[in-house]
Amino acid sequence: MKRFLSVILTVVCLGVFIYAAQGLIAAALDYYENRKVMGNIQETFYEVEMNGVEEDTHSIRSGFDSLLKENEDLVGWITIDGTQIDYPIVQADDNIEYLTRNFYKDENRAGSIFMDYRNNIESTGQNTILYGHRMKDGSMFEQLSKYQDEDFFKNHPTFQFDTLYESYEAEIFAVYATTTDFNYIQTDFASDGEYEQLLARIKEESMYETDVEVKASDQIITLSTCDYVLDENEGRLVVQAKLVKKG
């Protein structure tokens, strides 16, 4: 009986090990595939020099031409110095599709950096929202967590945001952890006063005070990813910045 129980225990342990190993292997393959895909996309993107904004604002900027042929959902690019964040931005008809699909629409747990479906890339609204996962290998929006370190924040107060039509410098004015109870992803405002109320709440939530002045006439960009401190499922880490159009 003891020998039989020992064999059963060994089989069970082996089964658990194999199951866990399969999960780790699957994750490693997804990470590898994501790095490979992003490397290819970055190489394609940077092969063409960015020529700035054309006089006709509805003309697609040259840096995006090749990538649009591969995915017409492409709407922009985000680059944050001091991080791995140097990625294309896509947009679907909902906020679900690119949670688990890469730039080529293949299934991958890393998903993509994607813009809220309510935003319009041709006429940037008051609050442009980008989403991305926090991957354990440091990819996608995981390194937004660096902004929780004040020294990093002071040394990297801006980032680059390009759309198909415009180029912006984003001046960071808020970093905070919150939950989905706070509607920081609001995109439609009944009045300037309602928008100003959101801006005031954002500044209250922020870990830092900055000299960046944000008024009702300004446009902001919101970077949103998961955070597990306040709530395992509804927690979010948010970085928000004022958009300043480049000349």
Side-chain angles (χ1 to χ4, degrees), residues 14-211:
L14 183 60
V16 170
F17 173 79
I18 292 173
Y19 178 79
Q22 286 178 331
L24 290 172
I25 291 171
L29 288 173
D30 272 356
Y31 291 149
Y32 169 76
E33 184 63 26
N34 184 51
R35 288 193 297 271
K36 185 170 131 183
V37 165
M38 286 303 174
N40 291 338
I41 294 169
Q42 289 163 355
E43 185 177 349
T44 300
F45 183 69
Y46 287 116
E47 275 180 0
V48 182
E49 182 180 356
M50 304 295 283
N51 292 324
V53 181
E54 303 287 346
E55 288 185 9
D56 178 2
T57 57
H58 290 284
S59 296
I60 303 298
R61 298 172 59 210
S62 58
F64 293 100
D65 288 340
S66 297
L67 291 178
L68 276 169
K69 294 174 184 176
E70 300 181 51
N71 186 346
E72 61 184 11
D73 290 342
L74 177 69
V75 293
W77 196 279
I78 181 172
T79 304
I80 302 180
D81 289 341
T83 76
Q84 293 183 31
I85 298 172
D86 187 21
Y87 299 131
I89 304 163
V90 290
Q91 183 183 40
D93 294 330
D94 55 49
N95 288 338
I96 304 297
E97 180 173 352
Y98 282 105
L99 280 172
T100 56
R101 292 185 184 276
N102 65 21
F103 182 80
Y104 299 112
K105 300 187 178 183
D106 297 323
E107 282 288 333
N108 189 292
R109 72 186 65 201
S112 298
I113 304 302
F114 63 94
M115 182 177 290
D116 194 294
Y117 75 95
R118 297 169 296 173
N119 290 135
N120 183 348
I121 198 61
E122 291 191 37
S123 56
T124 309
Q126 289 167 305
N127 189 10
T128 297
I129 304 147
L130 306 183
Y131 304 97
H133 289 308
R134 290 181 73 169
M135 304 308 294
K136 291 181 179 179
D137 67 343
S139 63
M140 311 317 286
F141 270 178
E142 196 284 330
Q143 293 193 352
L144 287 183
S145 61
K146 286 189 171 186
Y147 278 106
Q148 293 176 301
D149 178 87
E150 189 169 3
D151 286 338
F152 183 86
F153 169 73
K154 288 178 178 178
N155 291 320
H156 302 84
T158 65
F159 60 88
Q160 175 83 12
F161 172 58
D162 294 297
T163 74
L164 298 183
Y165 310 102
E166 305 283 2
S167 183
Y168 299 91
E169 181 174 62
E171 300 177 346
I172 300 171
F173 68 94
V175 178
Y176 55 93
T178 187
T179 67
T180 54
D181 291 335
F182 173 31
N183 189 21
Y184 64 91
I185 60 171
Q186 183 176 354
T187 57
D188 294 320
F189 302 90
S191 65
D192 285 347
E194 185 178 3
Y195 181 45
E196 287 172 336
Q197 287 179 0
L198 176 65
L199 295 176
R201 171 72 187 279
I202 289 170
K203 289 190 174 182
E204 288 176 3
E205 295 285 333
S206 180
M207 298 170 55
Y208 313 115
E209 290 186 12
T210 74
D211 295 329

